Amino acid sequence: MFKAPSHQVAGHQARDGKLGPLVDELGRFYKPLQSGERGSQEVAFYEKFCSNTTIPDHIRNFFPIFYGTQLLEASDGSGKHPHLILQDLVSGRVNPSIMDIKIGSRTWPPESPEDYIQKCLQKDRGSTSLPLGFRISGLQVNGGEESASWKPEKKYIKSLTADDVRLVLRKFVSSNVSAESSVQPDCSLASIVYGGSTGILAQLLQLKAWFEEQTVFHFYSCSILFMYEKGSMLEGKKSNAEIKLIDFAHVLDGCGVIDHNFLGGLCSLIKFIREIIDTPSA
């Protein structure tokens, strides 16, 4: 009934005897609760988010559906372990292209233990989190039956510079995707995936408008998933691209203050996407 997700691009994976998420055939995603306060904080976020009647429906659509928690046999064989039961965001997609983008120039919440702060700070400084306000954590680009696919290794992802991020965001919407640096991405899908009234940019702008007003939550170390599927999109001649927010183990009470850390990273990401739409052949 349960298996490891086929299209996971970042985070802990349920392979080689390790603890990681599982999925079923009913479109549900089972995420092991993290140890200590992280697990309880993520459950608390989902419960608070679901019960908050002030959050508009179009914003709720950017978050996975929450079905509660359940004790399940852990993927690492260690016995029963509590899992979050969430919507499987790629259920029904055969060959999705996915990108995980961690938002915020600071990925550690206030009042974190000093050793955790130093660990996060080292990652933030060694990536594009500090200069750009976001970093790419993982991706796969599926070209479909007629073209190549690309899923770069973690070592490559961790070494990305600002220029590399621009290149990867362009490759994500190209039909000639290649690991070779000499191949210039054609961005042939940019106008459909990133642009248009229902594309990724339009969705990011909706999210931005909410973050410019919402003061209920502060999101640290949260990611935005970009997703689309080339084959069905080209057949229908319209976008099936969507964004979803994931990973809420470090969400804190906003205390009536705007989440400038997340908003700043989101605005930076929007700028990069807009540049690609405006100059796809650059």
Side-chain angles (χ1 to χ4, degrees), residues 256-273:
V257 179
I258 287 176
D259 186 356
H260 291 288
N261 180 61
F262 189 98
L263 180 60
L266 180 58
C267 289
S268 177
L269 178 59
I270 286 171
K271 181 181 178 182
F272 274 70
I273 300 300

Side-chain angles (χ1 to χ4, degrees), residues 85-206:
I85 311 174
L86 305 169
Q87 173 190 8
D88 181 2
L89 299 177
V90 296
S91 178
R93 293 182 184 263
V94 179
N95 293 305
S97 292
I98 305 170
M99 182 155 44
D100 182 311
I101 305 174
K102 193 174 291 292
I103 304 295
S105 59
R106 190 176 83 176
T107 58
W108 44 272
E111 300 180 8
S112 296
E114 185 60 30
D115 59 339
Y116 183 75
I117 292 176
Q118 292 304 317
K119 179 181 177 181
C120 292
L121 193 56
Q122 183 177 5
K123 287 184 179 180
D124 295 347
R125 286 174 173 169
S127 69
T128 61
S129 288
L130 281 180
L132 300 185
F134 67 90
R135 70 173 180 254
I136 295 173
S137 297
L139 78 149
Q140 67 179 27
V141 184
N142 277 317
E145 296 180 359
E146 299 179 358
S147 55
S149 298
W150 181 50
K151 187 174 183 178
E153 297 180 356
K154 287 184 178 181
K155 184 178 179 180
Y156 171 80
I157 295 294
K158 289 181 178 180
S159 68
L160 294 177
T161 65
D163 287 339
D164 293 331
V165 166
R166 288 186 175 89
L167 180 63
V168 169
L169 289 171
R170 292 169 62 81
K171 283 187 174 185
F172 187 68
V173 290
S174 293
S175 61
N176 65 336
V177 63
S178 171
E180 299 296 328
S181 58
S182 60
V183 178
Q184 292 299 312
D186 60 21
C187 294
S188 61
L189 303 175
S191 62
I192 304 176
V193 176
Y194 287 155
S197 60
T198 61
I200 281 176
L201 177 59
Q203 295 176 55
L204 290 174
L205 290 174
Q206 287 184 10

Side-chain angles (χ1 to χ4, degrees), residues 12 40 81 90 102 125 130-131 145 166 181 185 198-199 207-208 211 224 227 235 249 270 279 281-282:
H12 301 288
S40 58
H81 188 94
V90 296
K102 193 174 291 292
R125 286 174 173 169
L130 281 180
E145 296 180 359
R166 288 186 175 89
S181 58
T198 61
L207 197 61
K208 173 177 173 284
F211 269 92
I224 296 179
M227 297 176 288
E235 291 169 9
I270 286 171
T279 56
S281 59

